[in-house]
Amino acid sequence: MIDDISPTATWEAVSSRPNAWLVDVRTPMEWEHIGVPDLSGAGRALVLDSWQLPPAGQVNPDFVKALEQAGIGKTDEVYFICRSGARSMAAAHAAYDAGYHNVFNVADGFEGPPDAAGGRGRLAGWQASGLPCTRG
């Protein structure tokens, strides 16, 4: 069972525990054009590790290997974030299956669900929570 954790609780964990990591599993295009969580105020680095590869969206065969290369230990806390929480949940399950058993899904992701006008980042998620981020 992978728990959904609020963006605020994720920020608190990553800010206060040296064994807690935030992994953004979106695509490079999303990181560049939409933005990413900014952990610099917590003295931490965000791990960028795409779960799916463009353009076809196939699962990244090196996903788990990149976690290892980032220095994430199997007993560390790993919080996965995507746009809205779906890809990050799949990534968390893959990490769990690879032996990372302290994994969490960031509820509503970076942008959250669309509002009535179809825009994102206003209703829920990392951006709507007012947490530090860079804008694309």
Side-chain angles (χ1 to χ4, degrees), residues 114-120 122-123:
D115 61 19
R120 292 182 182 266
R122 296 181 199 94
L123 297 179

Side-chain angles (χ1 to χ4, degrees), residues 21-130:
W21 299 80
L22 181 59
V23 179
D24 192 325
V25 302
R26 296 175 297 150
T27 64
M29 190 161 102
E30 289 172 293
W31 302 326
E32 182 179 333
H33 295 289
I34 297 167
V36 296
D38 181 1
L39 306 182
S40 62
R44 302 298 303 277
L46 176 68
V47 176
L48 301 174
D49 185 8
S50 294
W51 170 242
Q52 294 176 305
L53 301 174
Q58 73 270 19
V59 171
N60 179 358
D62 296 323
F63 179 76
V64 171
K65 183 178 181 181
L67 297 176
E68 295 165 358
Q69 290 174 337
I72 301 173
K74 297 276 177 127
T75 60
D76 290 348
E77 296 174 27
V78 190
Y79 297 81
F80 293 95
I81 191 168
C82 66
R83 180 181 72 176
S84 60
R87 284 176 286 175
S88 52
M89 182 60 86
H93 279 286
Y96 185 89
D97 291 344
Y100 293 87
H101 290 173
N102 295 314
V103 297
F104 306 91
N105 184 51
V106 180
D108 297 310
F110 187 70
E111 296 181 77
D115 61 19
R120 292 182 182 266
R122 296 181 199 94
L123 297 179
W126 190 274
Q127 289 178 319
S129 297

